[in-house]
Every structure is written in structure tokens, then in C-alpha cells.
Amino acid sequence: MTGRRTGRGRAWAELLRVSALLSVPGDALAGAAAAGARPGRGTLCALGASLCLYEAGMALNDWADRAEDAVERPHRPLPSGRIAPGTALAASAALTAAGLALASRAGRPSLAVAAALATTVWAYDLGLKHTPAGPGAMATARALDLLLGATASTRGRDTRTRAALDALPSAALLGAHTYAVTAVSRHETRGGSTRTPLAALAVTLAVAAAASGGPGGPRPDAARLRPLLALVYARTPAPLLLHAALNPSAALTERAVGGGIRATIPLQAALAARAGAPATALALLGLVPAARALARKVSPT
């Protein structure tokens, strides 16, 4: 009985890609920092909503790709029969509803952003993923997730509008990174690519340069942290992307994608420091070792 429970838990961990889950909280926290707000109850609601919607997307992704995975990734939970397709779809719907409910606790503007995020996630998984619009849809989802944190962390209609506008530069940088990682991931099962990882490497360096600058607020400690965190961010995926470009293969491409997902955390930390929130930046950086350890147990891709 214990072994069966362990096996089922492992299947759900693989389906939901729990090793990538630590890349999610930083969206809400970086959004709050970009809005100039301290994390509070609304930020926690946004964080919970983000986690639910992210996991909804993971479950829906495997449900939508179950036929393709049966050929290319038969070990995945659905084609291997460890989780029924209907169960995965029901979990995705339930997680989406939970995410929207949590976002509603932070107010109508946050619910509106969460609804746009949920719509983007479902549109990506059910139709856009295998089209040229796929990377853009994924980038939009990450950017909206950061904006959710910004709107949920502030109060007042005018204040929330201003918060969303203030957070747009950070959302754009996070979106650019996500676009690059998603573009590379499209070659995971095709034997790799040279041009796409090189392009992603160029985007990574550009995002790092932008994250190391910016206003940084009035705090000198945040200004000192910015270039260091930007370097940590760039250093995480850059060697893997270069390796994948020089030696195109599915295995190296998958490693580069995993590195890109893990790099999201130091990028969020750099964006928080850029907005003048060094404590948030350091707290996020503390998630990096845990994310690396989890990735050794469950693949984030």
C-alpha cells in the first residue's frame, strides 16, 4: 500500500512538474516590488493564485499532449497509465477555479488579471503551443503573473492602475526571458537546434544587462545587488544554451530548458533589487538551491 501511494505521488509530482514550482512565487513578489508595495495579504492571494494556475497549466499540458507523449515520451504519467487523462483534466479545471477564487480575494482588478492569465494558459495548452504564437503566449502568461502580484499588492483603483504601469518594465523582461526558454523547448523532442539556443543566449544577456540597471529606488544596497543578481541570472542558463547550440541534441536542449526555468528565480530576484527591494531579492535567491535539488529528483520539463 505504501509503495502504491509513493508511486502515485511520484506520478503527480511528474505531471505537475513540482521542481519548477519554486519559479512561481517570485512573480508575485517581483510584481509587488515593482509596484513599490510591501508584500501583504493581497500578495499572498496572488501568490496562491499563481501557484494554482501554473499547476493547472501543467496538468492541462499533459492532457492536451497525451497522444504526442505516447509516441515521444511514453514514460510520462498519462501515456504510462499512472494517471487517467480525465483525472488530469479535472485537476486542471479545479486548480483554475481555485486560482481565480484566490485572486478574487485581492479585489476585482486582480481577478481580471488572473482571468486573462487563465485564458492565456488554456489557449496556449489547447491550441497555441504548436503554432508560431506559442512562445508569445507563454511570455504573456508570465508577464501577466507578475502584473497580478503588482495589482494585488496595492489598494485603490488609481493606485492599482499606476502599480500595473510601474510593473510593466519588469513584466516585459520576465516575458522576454520566458519567450526565449519556450522557443528553445520546442526543439526538445526534435534533436536540438543551433540557431534557437544562440538567439536565447542573446536574449538572456540583453535581459541581464537591463535588469542590472534601472532606478533601483533610493536604497544603495539594492543598487549594489542588481549587477550581482543579474550575473547570477545570466550564468545559470548561458553555458547550457551555448552547449546546446554547439552540440545540438534533444538531451542537451532539455538541459538548457531546465536551466532556463531555474534562471527565472535569480531573474525575479534581480527585478526585485532593481525595484529597490533587496530583502525580497535575497529571499528569492534563497530558493535557488531548493529548486536545483528538486530538479535532480523530478524533471522540470
Side-chain angles (χ1 to χ4, degrees), residues 2 28 49 67 86 96 137 155 162 177 195 210 216 218 223 225-226 274 279 289 298:
T2 301
T96 299
R155 292 187 174 275
R162 187 165 59 251
H177 167 75
R195 185 167 50 187
L225 268 178
R226 289 198 313 261
R274 184 177 184 267
V298 181

Side-chain angles (χ1 to χ4, degrees), residues 60 63-65 119-134 137 186:
L60 184 63
W63 181 84
D65 285 355
T119 300
T120 303
V121 168
W122 279 70
Y124 173 82
D125 282 332
L126 296 182
L128 297 179
K129 180 176 10 179
H130 300 297
T131 73
R186 291 159 75 94

Side-chain angles (χ1 to χ4, degrees), residues 15-287:
L15 177 72
L16 299 177
R17 293 171 175 82
V18 294
S19 59
L21 203 55
L22 291 178
S23 72
V24 179
D27 290 350
L29 293 172
R38 288 188 175 184
R41 175 181 171 277
T43 313
L44 287 176
C45 290
L47 197 155
S50 296
L51 291 171
C52 287
L53 294 175
Y54 186 86
E55 293 292 48
M58 293 297 102
L60 184 63
N61 175 79
D62 275 29
W63 181 84
D65 285 355
R66 61 194 185 280
E68 178 182 331
D69 284 347
V71 176
E72 298 178 347
R73 296 177 176 181
H75 62 279
R76 292 293 301 164
L78 268 60
S80 66
R82 289 177 291 159
I83 296 177
T87 302
L89 182 60
S92 181
L95 285 165
T96 299
L100 294 176
L102 283 168
S104 70
R105 300 294 298 272
R108 290 184 179 179
S110 299
L111 176 59
V113 176
L117 171 57
T119 300
T120 303
V121 168
W122 279 70
Y124 173 82
D125 282 332
L126 296 182
L128 297 179
K129 180 176 10 179
H130 300 297
T131 73
M138 186 62 77
T140 300
R142 271 289 185 177
L144 285 170
D145 204 25
L146 189 145
L147 293 177
L148 174 60
T151 57
S153 301
T154 53
R155 292 187 174 275
R157 186 171 184 176
D158 293 340
T159 303
R160 284 177 166 170
T161 300
R162 187 165 59 251
L165 292 174
D166 289 342
L168 279 177
S170 291
L173 291 175
L174 184 60
H177 167 75
T178 304
Y179 188 102
V181 174
T182 306
V184 174
S185 74
R186 291 159 75 94
H187 297 275
E188 279 184 283
T189 58
R190 303 178 189 173
S193 164
T194 295
R195 185 167 50 187
T196 305
L198 284 178
L201 178 59
V203 171
T204 298
L205 297 178
V207 169
S212 67
R219 303 191 58 170
D221 47 354
R224 288 192 293 268
L225 268 178
R226 289 198 313 261
L228 175 61
L229 293 174
L231 180 60
V232 173
Y233 155 66
R235 175 66 180 78
T236 302
L240 298 174
L241 288 169
L242 184 59
H243 200 186
L246 295 177
N247 303 278
S249 71
L252 292 180
T253 301
E254 184 174 351
R255 288 185 60 194
V257 173
I261 293 172
R262 292 194 304 276
T264 304
I265 300 174
L267 174 57
Q268 293 159 341
L271 293 176
R274 184 177 184 267
T280 296
L282 291 174
L284 287 172
L285 196 63
L287 296 176

